[in-house]
């Protein structure tokens, strides 16, 4: 390691300038990292998870099975995408799983409650994710007030649908210079 006395006087000023500039640059980086971005982290995720009240105290197990493609499986796929995380959040003790495959012919929900035997709900061909949610909540024997509150809160959520040009959601696509079109709709 060189000492300042060993470095020629003309190089000392350059070295000091370099060290000062480098230290201020590093300090600037640290201060930028210390700032918190409010759009990231737990709070926005928690708001989405708590948006729909889906607490089912009797629920022991819920399994959603659907195909990856096909018109009869669309409602089940959208139900999984929009509401399965909320169900897991509100019912931490329940076993909630989903399974999809290319060969599945029927979309169904297996539901097991603490009070009775397992139920199998056929959701093939249902037109919307809210119909699947209503069927699950009715089978779980929730009160009519909480059923209506959950369905209305779920209907108020933004729904991302597939644009006719093939783009889905707010995920960036390979645009090749053309911006993707995203259709945001709400079910009335």
């Amino acid at each position: 390691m060189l000492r300042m006395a060993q470095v020629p006087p003309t190089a000392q000023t350059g070295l000091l300038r370099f060290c000062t500039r480098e230290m201020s640059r590093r300090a600037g980086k640290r201060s930028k990292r210390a700032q918190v971005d409010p759009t990231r982290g737990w709070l926005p995720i928690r708001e989405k998870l708590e948006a729909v009240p889906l607490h089912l105290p009797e629920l022991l197990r819920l399994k959603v099975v659907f195909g990856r493609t096909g018109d009869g499986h669309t409602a089940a796929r959208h139900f999984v995408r929009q509401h399965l995380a909320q169900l897991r959040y509100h019912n931490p003790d329940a076993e909630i799983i989903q399974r999809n495959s290319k060969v599945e012919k029927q979309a169904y929900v297996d539901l097991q409650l603490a009070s009775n035997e397992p139920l199998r709900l056929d959701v093939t061909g249902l037109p919307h994710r809210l119909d699947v949610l209503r069927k699950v909540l009715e089978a779980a024997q929730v009160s009519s007030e909480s059923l209506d509150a959950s369905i209305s809160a779920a209907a108020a959520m933004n729904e991302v649908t597939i644009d006719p040009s093939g783009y889905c959601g707010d995920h960036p696509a390979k645009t090749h210079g053309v911006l993707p079109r995203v259709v945001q709709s709400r079910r009335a």
Side-chain angles (χ1 to χ4, degrees):
M1 180 172 178
L2 291 176
R3 294 186 181 170
M4 289 299 278
Q6 296 173 342
V7 179
T10 55
Q12 284 182 3
T13 55
L15 184 61
L16 285 174
R17 273 193 227 131
F18 172 75
C19 291
T20 308
R21 188 173 47 231
E22 186 65 22
M23 288 174 57
S24 64
R25 186 181 66 82
R26 287 183 183 172
K29 279 188 177 179
R30 277 192 220 114
S31 66
K32 287 180 186 175
R33 281 190 222 147
Q35 295 172 355
V36 177
D37 184 9
T39 61
R40 300 180 73 177
W42 174 244
L43 187 62
I45 296 170
R46 188 167 151 197
E47 288 173 355
K48 288 180 183 178
L49 291 174
E50 292 176 347
V52 180
L54 294 174
H55 182 66
L56 307 172
E58 295 280 317
L59 184 67
L60 296 177
R61 185 171 192 260
L62 181 113
K63 179 180 180 181
V64 184
V65 179
F66 56 93
R68 291 183 191 163
T69 60
D71 291 335
H73 301 273
T74 305
R77 282 195 310 267
H78 287 211
F79 170 77
V80 165
R81 183 176 177 190
Q82 301 245 340
H83 299 298
L84 212 62
Q86 294 169 341
L87 278 166
R88 286 180 179 143
Y89 178 76
H90 288 287
N91 305 293
D93 296 332
E95 180 186 359
I96 300 175
I97 52 178
Q98 55 110 2
R99 193 185 86 201
N100 59 18
S101 69
K102 292 181 181 178
V103 297
E104 196 63 49
K105 301 291 183 199
Q106 186 180 14
Y108 58 89
V109 177
D110 284 337
L111 189 71
Q112 185 174 2
L113 303 174
S115 60
N116 58 6
E117 62 189 41
L119 300 169
R120 178 168 281 192
L121 309 172
D122 183 23
V123 295
T124 307
L126 289 179
H128 201 267
R129 65 178 168 85
L130 294 179
D131 300 323
V132 177
L133 181 63
R134 180 179 296 279
K135 212 168 187 180
V136 167
L137 292 177
E138 286 172 352
Q141 302 166 354
V142 298
S143 65
S144 61
E145 306 89 43
S146 62
L147 175 79
D148 293 336
S150 297
I151 295 295
S152 63
M157 286 177 50
N158 274 345
E159 181 178 320
V160 179
T161 57
I162 299 174
D163 189 345
S165 64
Y167 296 109
C168 179
D170 45 355
H171 300 290
K174 294 181 181 175
T175 59
H176 305 289
V178 179
L179 293 176
R181 296 180 302 167
V182 176
V183 177
Q184 294 266 345
S185 66
R186 287 185 173 202
R187 183 174 180 189

